[in-house]
Amino acid sequence: MAKVLLCRVGDLPSGEILRVESDGLPPVAVFNLDGAYFAIDDTCSHGQASLADGEIDGDLVECPFHGGCFEIRTGLPAGAPCTEPVARYDLVVEDDAVYALVQP
């Protein structure tokens, strides 16, 4: 597995979302839920909306365009009109940085 740097720990306060563009990945929404980091594709599967512009509600992110929701931990749809999941990424935190683990 290759590691792709998404952000530094200090760049993402608890309860916040950060949109990241990195080589080799589509735009990614990175979440900090009480010190646990998660990443899913940033683009809503229902429309061309950035999930990083959405709102966190517990373990869900609400799409800013149509109000559909996705589970932050899994990328699974959790509210209409979203029915298709978004990709999720395995992460590792090392040396105060958050990395996505991807196939080379």
Side-chain angles (χ1 to χ4, degrees):
M1 289 284 208
K3 293 190 301 188
V4 176
L5 176 65
L6 297 179
C7 65
R8 307 294 299 169
V9 169
D11 295 337
L12 186 56
S14 183
E16 296 292 324
I17 314 167
L18 182 65
R19 183 178 195 268
V20 176
E21 294 186 35
S22 296
D23 289 338
L25 291 178
V28 174
V30 184
F31 301 83
N32 178 345
L33 301 181
D34 296 322
Y37 296 89
F38 303 94
I40 58 177
D41 277 350
D42 182 56
T43 305
C44 177
S45 61
H46 177 258
Q48 295 299 308
S50 170
L51 295 176
D53 290 337
E55 298 289 326
I56 295 174
D57 182 11
D59 288 345
L60 304 177
V61 60
E62 183 178 323
C63 175
F65 278 7
H66 300 107
C69 294
F70 295 91
E71 294 178 2
I72 292 170
R73 297 172 194 277
T74 66
L76 294 173
C82 302
T83 59
E84 296 295 320
V86 294
R88 79 158 191 79
Y89 299 90
D90 291 325
L91 304 181
V92 63
V93 178
E94 292 178 352
D95 300 321
D96 292 323
V98 180
Y99 297 91
L101 300 175
V102 297
Q103 294 290 341

